[in-house]
Amino acid sequence: MADMKQEEISHPPMDQLQGLEYCIDSNPSWGEAIALGFQHYILCLGTAVMIPTLLVPLMGGNAHDKAKVVQTMLFVTGINTLLQTLFGTRLPTIIGGSYAFVIPVISIIKDPSLAQIADDHTRFMMTMRAIQGALIISSCIQIILGYSQLWGICSRFFSPLGMVPVVALVGLGLFERGFPVIGRCVEIGLPMLVLFIALSQYLKHVQVRHFPILERFSVLISIALVWVYAHILTASGTYKHTSILTQMNCRTDRANLITNTAWIDVPYPLQWGPPTFSADHAFGMMAAVMVSLIESTGAFKAAARLASATPPPPYVLSRGIGWQGIGLLFDGLFGTGTGSTVSVENIGLLGSTRIGSRRVIQISAGFMIFFSILGRFGALFASIPFTMFAAIYCVMFGYVDFNPLKPVSHGIFSGAVGLSFMQFTNMNSMRNLFIIGVSLFLGISIPEYFFRYTMSSSHGPAHTRAGWFNDYINTIFSSPPTVGLIIAVVLDNTLEVRNAVRDRGMPWWARFRTFRGDSRNEEFYTLPFNLNRFFPPS
């Protein structure tokens, strides 16, 4: 084979991904945008249903309480998403429920003063009020770090090299929500996984009237087909004599959402009563807020690449974190039972559809608000078995294709986008290989240790008399992106720093460190309604 010339095999770094049909500020037709927005809404239902399903029974709540919490979470998710896309980073990101808050919430649930309440409904109400109080107080961290620009200052220590493990682990760290969940109901999860890959990858070039319908709507089509198949299995009595766990994961009539949801119901602040405040609860929740902040930072950078935007400057990143703090405040006021963060699965869908339009996400937020008010209609879609969502997560979180010159026509997720930052660094440097290798490995290994310890001992490795300290340590080190950030940033800023400026990718990063450092920043991140006159970028 003839030798290839150097220019034929080189792939110069590109700060924007190529091959997207619509970027952040370009929009498909209204009909297509509405259908795509509905697809994003369907995808975010998995987390919106799973977290209340896990937490509400532990709080003493019944099926009606769970339905109300799901409804509230979707309503607040819609509001927070609109605020973030309009006034925050303005990236096409959905701000939904976060698993990072599960550890401090369970700690509140186990508080002796609440656990000893005999009446289940009273215990649920009092626990929800305690969670609300902790969220309201802890939200101040993100609000202060965001609007004071302190997080923007901190982000100046993040090089492209340091961001590789952080952004990658935002997706890679969610592996337990993939095939382990499919394994709970293989006869539904596996067909869903195979069908979704077939539609989105092998049949993506199939067009109807010159429109790539299978590539754009593979999530909707595969969910609809497998949902019908799952309902047939349920109606035929396939799971009549199986275990309760199997029925919960396989049957389409075990969500108990439709019959327990009102036809029309508008969630409102303090609907569970006045919040109660405790210093121990608030300190424990602050750890989850910090984890949410770090996860969102990585997710924002992933969303920027999948929307074909420039990396968000520190000012924009701080603005987004500030609005996310406002979102946490809303979580506390309305009572969602957990905090919020950027939805990683919806970021993956941007790459899968090749559409990073901001308008699509805003329409999706409209669906969330609409179907949360019309409760019965929203509950119908929310009754989709979670196993089906897990099959989609396997692709959204795990398909690796980070060639910066290749059209993004594959399912692509934030982990792969994180790895794509390596193109701006010198990967022939032993220093860089050491930092990325250690931070990626420990970013997965340390949280896995905390998880297994908790499963075997019913409590985390940190188990002292100070409950707030236990929550802080167990929450921080159970988050892969947080562990990855700590290790990568410390090593990157202390190991041979003077001689490694170019190897770290800092020259490429320089023009994105200020709002006006790149002319495209104003196009992507300027506030609407001419608000930049009153809030000029600093």
Side-chain angles (χ1 to χ4, degrees), residues 122-202:
T122 303
R123 179 159 58 91
F124 168 76
M125 296 294 287
M126 296 303 294
T127 304
M128 181 61 79
R129 294 174 187 177
I131 295 170
Q132 287 182 261
L135 283 170
I136 289 172
I137 294 177
S138 59
S139 67
C140 297
I141 292 180
Q142 286 197 6
I143 293 174
I144 293 172
L145 287 176
Y147 292 122
S148 69
Q149 296 293 312
L150 283 174
W151 188 243
I153 295 172
C154 292
S155 69
R156 293 176 179 272
F157 294 95
F158 304 161
S159 69
L161 179 72
M163 282 292 99
V164 170
V166 180
V167 182
L169 289 170
V170 168
L172 292 174
L174 298 172
F175 64 90
E176 75 278 359
R177 289 167 58 187
F179 207 86
V181 179
I182 292 179
R184 300 174 188 172
C185 187
V186 177
E187 59 268 34
I188 291 178
L190 198 56
M192 181 70 189
L193 177 60
V194 172
L195 180 62
F196 179 60
I197 292 176
L199 294 180
S200 63
Q201 305 302 317
Y202 290 98

Side-chain angles (χ1 to χ4, degrees), residues 280-297:
D280 282 351
H281 297 165
F283 276 117
M285 195 69 76
M286 287 177 184
V289 171
M290 291 302 298
V291 168
S292 169
L293 183 152
I294 292 170
E295 291 178 348
S296 295
T297 298

